Amino acid sequence: MHGAAVYNGGMNSVDLKDLLARHFGFDGFRPLQAEIADAVMQGRDTLVLMPTGGGKSLCYQLPALALSGVTLVISPLIALMKDQVDGLRANGIAAGFLNSAQSSEERRRIQQMAFEGRLKLLYVAPERITQQGFHLFLNALDISLIAVDEAHCISEWGHEFRPDYRNLKMLRALSPQTPVIALTATATERVRDDIAAQLELRDTRVFVGGFNRPNLFYSVLPDRDKYDATVGYLRNHEGESAIIYRGSQRGTEDLAADLAEDGIEALPYHAGLDAEIRARNQERFVRDEVPVIVATVAFGMGIDKPDVRLIAHYEMPPSVERYYQETGRAGRDGLKAECILFYGPSERRRQEFFLDRMTDDAERDSARAKLQAMLRYCNPGACRRGVLLRYFGESPRVDSCDACDVCMSETFDATVISQKILSAVVRTGERFGSTYVSQVLRGENAPKLDERGHRNLSVFGIVQNYSVPELRDIAGALVGRGLLAEGVEYPTLSITPDGRAFLKRREQIRLPMLRAPVTKTRRSAKDAEAEYDTELFEELRALRTRFARERGVPPYVVFGDATLRHMARSFPQSEDSLLSISGVGNKKLEDFGAAFLKTITEYAESNEIEDKTSAPEKQTRKPRPAKRDRRDSTTHRTLELARQGLSIQQIAYDRGMTTSTVTMHIESLIESNALPQPERYLPNTNRVSKILDALDTAGGDRLKPVRDLLGSDYSYDEIRLVNAFLKRSVSSDTVWADESVTI
């Protein structure tokens, strides 16, 4: 490890912005990204706390492109590494990973690439850091930056402590001058301090990006009839990705089976499943082959899927940290998503069952404090988002977030019922929980009420128009408003000074209406963002899936939903216009641009829709020949040049396009039987024959298995052209130009 690259000001913010647009297709930075990247470029140790979906990865990926050596990234899970590397490669960035799932030959190949300087980012698991042989390999590399992802795993105070992360200080000993950037989405101030200490960060720049996720809508629902409520939410998000968290392995499998019986495709995921089944279920979910995964906490940290539109917690998590991180897997693309949690008194009893079995007093006290914080979130009296932000030490900017069930609920005059509940708490001695107080108010026939003489109280039986569960909800709201307090060790209710003042002054109070399970008519995040053409969006999704299957990557690696919605809103019909879409960089334009432009242009022409983009000139666009005419950037223009006898290379030069883009045009023209003498664009007879054999062996529409059979000597372009000719020939009984190869 050669130490840190010296920053001399040569790579400024304009250069970083140029790289951002060229590789990632973004015109500007998100909050704090530019400042963090600049600190890294200056060789400063950096600690980054940024919400999930806030763009943490770019904070080290972008400097990695600018720095001279390789950036070493510590990542906790194999699946997460693969997703990150797939995404980087799709953007034309040289990246690789090393993990135990690879063959020794594959690991040697990646190490050789890193040693030769052919990688900009190398991802490894923390377990590898302790291996002596790996130390020798690292010493041979020019490592310009060390990035520690999911850095909260290094802290024993964190909610996902992993002992292997404690070994990362070895990296500091191996190369004390190499700057370190540590990144996390969930860390209290105590955890942040522990991260800095464990990694021995020096002269550290700390960036706290806030915990607010404005695109997430938070709701807490009563746990009665929660299966029907879950089905309602899933129906409302039909065709969209959802994760349902359960507290047990058996519950995971039972719920997935029940949903499947009701016609909702769902798969289970938990640590008890066979590793191969677990990996397959995860892959099917990530690749949009199944919309719903029902999982334990074992699922999630290794998932980089940006388009999850619903997170449901069937049971209450034991801490706000865990809940925040798990809900953070929704809406990573910045689009709207929902987070629902089912809660009832049984949830508290379930958590306390585990608390009572803890033998370490300090551990039990810490867990109990975390449970209390989670219970405060579940109370219906205060803004959900405000509770989350205050827990992490951040003050909400407004009293109402307008994006949680409390803030968006209608309210009712709860003055009288609140007075009755508070009076019942006082009359029963402030020694009982909400269920018992509710039974007293309803005058229920229970022996324990007789034993304690509570049938004789003035508050006995004075409430008949609310059920016990409804009274518990109102009591919870009063806890949230600070009029009642709930015990730490036992859920007994007591009245606060504010509560006594409320009774004395006979003040008015309004509380949120009692919640009902969701119905199919509830407005979803999908409806709320329907300002794009949904029909075109679905066509683009299908095209995205095709490319993803060809390459064996998740669909979002091709383009995310946010990018597709932008396309379906702006209707780009030239390469310049497509480059103006957020998320379209030069490499993705080269790989996918022609096909997406063809789909958009044909749809726009048939519906008489004009290009609505401004198509700004990007500094990052590669220089193109001056004779190109962007107004004719369609398949039809390629057809005109093909009719003149030009080769793919000549057409590409004439139009200022890549050969891959023109190949996409030719493929489409061959399939539609619009191209005269299409066989002249095919490879030689011997290669055609081998491609046909591979297509027959692989079957299906995916081209990646075909490429795998043929090897790297064969390009996707020639496979695509032969496949297009094959489809045309099957429908028209065409014979190949060379009679030795027939269909």
Side-chain angles (χ1 to χ4, degrees):
M1 300 175 71
H2 300 168
V6 177
Y7 178 73
N8 57 14
M11 177 60 65
N12 54 38
S13 60
V14 175
D15 296 315
L16 289 176
K17 190 175 181 180
D18 177 76
L19 291 172
L20 179 71
R22 182 187 301 275
H23 289 284
F24 298 97
F26 301 134
D27 288 330
F29 291 99
R30 293 187 185 183
L32 291 183
Q33 283 181 331
E35 294 91 333
I36 295 168
D38 188 59
V40 171
M41 293 300 300
Q42 294 180 39
R44 297 283 297 274
D45 283 350
T46 312
L47 176 57
V48 177
L49 178 66
M50 191 178 285
T52 302
K56 290 190 300 296
S57 298
L58 271 177
C59 295
Y60 64 83
Q61 290 172 349
L62 205 55
L65 296 176
L67 295 169
S68 59
V70 64
T71 290
L72 183 70
V73 185
I74 312 302
S75 185
L77 293 176
I78 291 174
L80 187 58
M81 287 185 207
K82 186 177 185 307
D83 281 357
Q84 292 269 10
V85 170
D86 282 343
L88 289 166
R89 288 175 176 171
N91 285 317
I93 297 169
F97 59 83
L98 296 171
N99 63 49
S100 57
Q102 295 170 307
S103 65
S104 56
E105 181 180 350
E106 176 66 8
R107 288 197 295 272
R108 280 195 298 271
R109 186 181 71 83
I110 295 297
Q111 286 179 314
Q112 185 65 27
M113 290 179 66
F115 179 72
E116 293 173 356
R118 292 189 288 129
L119 290 182
K120 294 305 295 178
L121 294 107
L122 177 63
Y123 287 72
V124 300
E127 294 81 359
R128 191 165 295 274
I129 301 303
T130 60
Q131 299 174 8
Q132 188 62 36
F134 190 66
H135 289 182
L136 296 175
F137 164 66
L138 292 180
N139 281 326
L141 296 183
D142 177 16
I143 295 181
S144 53
L145 176 65
I146 298 170
V148 181
D149 206 1
E150 306 291 351
H152 58 272
C153 294
I154 203 171
S155 173
E156 62 179 335
W157 306 111
H159 60 291
E160 288 181 317
F161 172 56
R162 289 181 58 171
D164 290 305
Y165 260 71
R166 292 288 202 182
N167 298 321
L168 296 185
K169 61 177 62 177
M170 292 182 181
L171 294 174
R172 181 62 94 189
L174 286 170
S175 185
Q177 300 306 313
T178 303
V180 175
I181 177 172
L183 309 102
T184 179
T186 49
T188 60
E189 186 173 355
R190 184 182 195 182
V191 172
R192 297 200 294 270
D193 291 343
D194 200 23
I195 291 171
Q198 292 299 323
L199 290 175
E200 299 180 357
L201 301 182
R202 300 184 299 265
D203 189 26
T204 309
R205 290 290 305 277
V206 179
F207 296 90
V208 180
F211 291 87
N212 189 24
R213 297 286 308 283
N215 61 314
L216 301 188
F217 190 99
Y218 298 103
S219 299
V220 177
L221 301 176
D223 63 354
R224 48 190 181 271
D225 302 321
K226 60 183 176 180
Y227 177 77
D228 290 339
T230 300
V231 170
Y233 270 89
L234 292 174
R235 300 271 191 228
N236 206 37
H237 287 276
E238 189 171 358
E240 299 175 330
S241 296
I243 302 173
I244 304 173
Y245 283 104
R246 291 226 57 181
S248 69
Q249 296 180 4
R250 176 65 181 273
T252 295
E253 297 197 25
D254 288 348
L255 182 56
D258 290 343
L259 291 172
E261 285 186 12
D262 280 327
I264 297 173
E265 287 188 274
L267 292 174
Y269 185 102
H270 60 76
L273 286 173
D274 178 79
E276 185 175 338
I277 295 174
R278 193 167 64 242
R280 184 169 66 246
N281 288 357
Q282 174 174 306
E283 183 176 8
R284 290 191 63 194
F285 174 71
V286 168
R287 298 192 177 188
D288 290 346
E289 295 173 8
V290 63
V292 181
I293 199 88
V294 186
T296 60
V297 69
F299 182 84
M301 190 164 66
I303 299 303
D304 204 26
K305 186 174 172 59
D307 55 358
V308 175
R309 301 268 77 87
L310 173 68
I311 298 283
H313 280 82
Y314 219 67
E315 291 90 13
M316 182 183 70
S319 70
V320 172
E321 289 101 329
R322 227 181 79 180
Y323 180 70
Y324 180 83
Q325 185 176 49
E326 288 167 5
T327 55
R329 286 151 195 161
R332 291 187 172 194
D333 53 10
L335 301 179
K336 294 184 184 300
E338 287 193 272
C339 305
I340 62 172
L341 165 65
F342 293 102
Y343 170 72
S346 61
E347 279 303 297
R348 174 167 185 152
R349 292 194 294 270
R350 185 176 68 88
Q351 295 292 345
E352 288 177 339
F353 174 84
F354 297 112
L355 288 177
D356 291 341
R357 278 152 183 76
M358 291 182 177
T359 55
D360 185 282
D361 291 342
E363 182 182 356
R364 184 172 56 251
D365 290 344
S366 175
R368 194 177 297 282
K370 290 181 177 182
L371 174 60
Q372 281 297 113
M374 195 67 227
L375 292 171
R376 281 194 293 275
Y377 174 83
C378 293
N379 282 326
C383 168
R384 312 285 181 202
R385 191 178 310 276
V387 173
L388 292 177
L389 296 180
R390 290 187 187 94
Y391 180 83
F392 290 107
E394 185 176 337
S395 298
R397 296 182 179 179
V398 293
D399 293 333
S400 173
C401 72
D402 291 333
C404 77
D405 58 339
V406 173
C407 294
M408 295 299 288
S409 291
E410 295 182 17
T411 61
F412 71 104
D413 187 345
T415 304
V416 174
I417 189 61
S418 298
Q419 289 170 347
K420 291 178 178 180
I421 292 173
L422 292 171
S423 297
V425 169
V426 174
R427 296 287 188 273
T428 55
E430 302 181 73
R431 297 187 297 114
F432 301 96
S434 60
T435 299
Y436 185 87
V437 171
S438 300
Q439 289 172 336
V440 170
L441 285 167
R442 287 196 35 92
E444 295 198 351
N445 185 20
K448 55 189 175 183
L449 300 183
D450 290 323
E451 294 170 7
R452 293 164 180 153
H454 288 163
R455 280 186 176 275
N456 301 320
L457 295 176
S458 60
V459 292
F460 181 81
I462 63 173
V463 174
Q464 296 300 316
N465 54 337
Y466 291 97
S467 67
V468 168
E470 289 171 339
L471 287 170
R472 286 201 307 257
D473 280 348
I474 297 173
L478 295 175
V479 171
R481 290 291 180 89
L483 303 184
L484 286 175
E486 198 168 33
V488 174
E489 191 166 355
Y490 300 103
T492 55
L493 295 177
S494 59
I495 191 167
T496 66
D498 285 345
R500 295 185 186 278
F502 168 79
L503 283 177
K504 183 177 181 180
R505 297 169 187 165
R506 297 187 172 273
E507 297 170 342
Q508 186 185 45
I509 186 171
R510 298 189 67 83
L511 294 176
M513 294 287 287
L514 301 176
R515 295 149 296 165
V518 70
T519 66
K520 291 180 68 174
T521 59
R522 177 178 172 133
R523 191 177 186 222
S524 70
K526 183 177 180 180
D527 299 324
E529 293 175 336
E531 70 278 4
Y532 58 92
D533 190 302
T534 54
E535 185 176 345
L536 175 58
F537 175 74
E538 292 303 326
E539 288 190 27
L540 297 176
R541 281 186 69 187
L543 182 60
R544 175 181 69 178
T545 299
R546 167 191 153 191
F547 278 116
R549 287 177 177 173
E550 285 180 3
R551 287 159 172 73
V553 297
Y556 59 80
V557 169
V558 178
F559 287 122
D561 276 5
T563 299
L564 296 189
R565 291 188 187 189
H566 194 173
M567 292 179 188
R569 183 169 57 249
S570 300
F571 305 95
Q573 294 166 52
S574 71
E575 288 194 354
D576 280 345
S577 295
L578 194 59
L579 269 175
S580 74
I581 300 296
S582 179
V584 181
N586 286 11
K587 184 65 167 64
K588 289 190 176 181
L589 175 70
E590 178 181 324
D591 288 348
F592 314 120
F596 278 85
L597 280 173
K598 176 177 179 290
T599 298
I600 296 168
T601 301
E602 290 178 353
Y603 183 88
E605 288 176 351
S606 64
N607 291 278
E608 299 183 350
I609 301 173
E610 295 182 353
D611 187 327
K612 297 180 181 180
T613 64
S614 58
E617 292 294 320
K618 285 193 173 184
Q619 297 177 1
T620 56
R621 196 175 62 243
K622 295 178 181 179
R624 304 192 184 275
K627 61 195 292 186
R628 62 183 171 85
D629 184 352
R630 288 288 165 219
R631 292 173 298 176
D632 293 327
S633 182
T634 62
T635 305
H636 182 72
R637 176 60 179 155
T638 295
L639 174 61
E640 290 178 350
L641 295 174
R643 284 172 173 165
Q644 297 174 24
L646 273 64
S647 68
I648 288 177
Q649 290 75 15
Q650 289 170 326
I651 295 172
Y653 179 81
D654 186 274
R655 301 203 55 204
M657 293 179 171
T658 65
T659 55
S660 291
T661 298
V662 175
T663 299
M664 294 281 193
H665 291 171
I666 298 296
E667 174 193 14
S668 174
L669 293 168
I670 291 175
E671 286 189 15
S672 62
N673 205 19
L675 188 67
Q677 298 181 317
E679 58 273 9
R680 59 199 171 96
Y681 290 106
L682 301 178
N684 64 50
T685 302
N686 183 52
R687 294 179 75 83
V688 166
S689 179
K690 290 185 177 180
I691 292 171
L692 286 173
D693 288 343
L695 285 166
D696 183 60
T697 301
D701 293 328
R702 294 180 60 194
L703 298 190
K704 186 177 186 301
V706 179
R707 176 83 181 291
D708 290 343
L709 287 170
L710 292 167
S712 59
D713 288 341
Y714 288 76
S715 69
Y716 275 110
D717 283 350
E718 58 185 332
I719 297 170
R720 189 176 285 112
L721 291 173
V722 173
N723 191 43
F725 201 97
L726 175 62
K727 291 178 180 178
R728 170 180 178 269
S729 301
V730 167
S731 62
S732 60
D733 295 327
T734 301
V735 179
W736 295 85
D738 189 311
E739 296 296 333
S740 63
V741 182
T742 60
I743 301 297

